Amino acid sequence: MNMSWRTKAACQGLDPQIFYPETDEEADAAKDVCGVCSVQGACLEYALTRREKDGVWGGCTERERRRIIRQRRRSA
């Protein structure tokens, strides 16, 4: 998988802890960064493909990513 999108990510240089909140309710700061990121879609697809279990990826928490995967399975 091509990972060149990471160099364009809005999260470059930020404290990674922002993207690993204790609860989904604390994910707003990370989601705000993702919301203005030009590679949000690529980041989300990476996390979905890799089944990332922790953190906020592409503006989605683990719970939200699981929901997307379930919806995709139903649609397939």
Side-chain angles (χ1 to χ4, degrees), residues 1-2 8 10 16 19-20 23 28 32-34 36 38 42 47 49 51-52 55 57 59 62 64-66 69 71 73:
M1 175 176 249
N2 183 345
K8 299 174 185 145
F19 299 93
Y20 294 93
T23 66
D28 288 342
D32 288 345
V33 173
C34 296
V36 298
S38 64
T49 301
R51 302 272 199 236
E52 287 288 343
W57 290 82
E62 176 190 1
E64 293 165 332
R65 291 191 305 274
R66 284 193 313 252
I69 290 169
Q71 289 171 345
R73 282 187 195 145

Side-chain angles (χ1 to χ4, degrees), residues 3-35:
M3 303 273 293
S4 63
W5 57 268
R6 295 179 83 173
T7 62
K8 299 174 185 145
C11 60
Q12 285 287 84
L14 297 180
D15 181 358
Q17 287 305 114
I18 295 170
F19 299 93
Y20 294 93
E22 294 291 321
T23 66
D24 284 1
E25 290 75 30
E26 298 172 357
D28 288 342
K31 287 182 172 191
D32 288 345
V33 173
C34 296

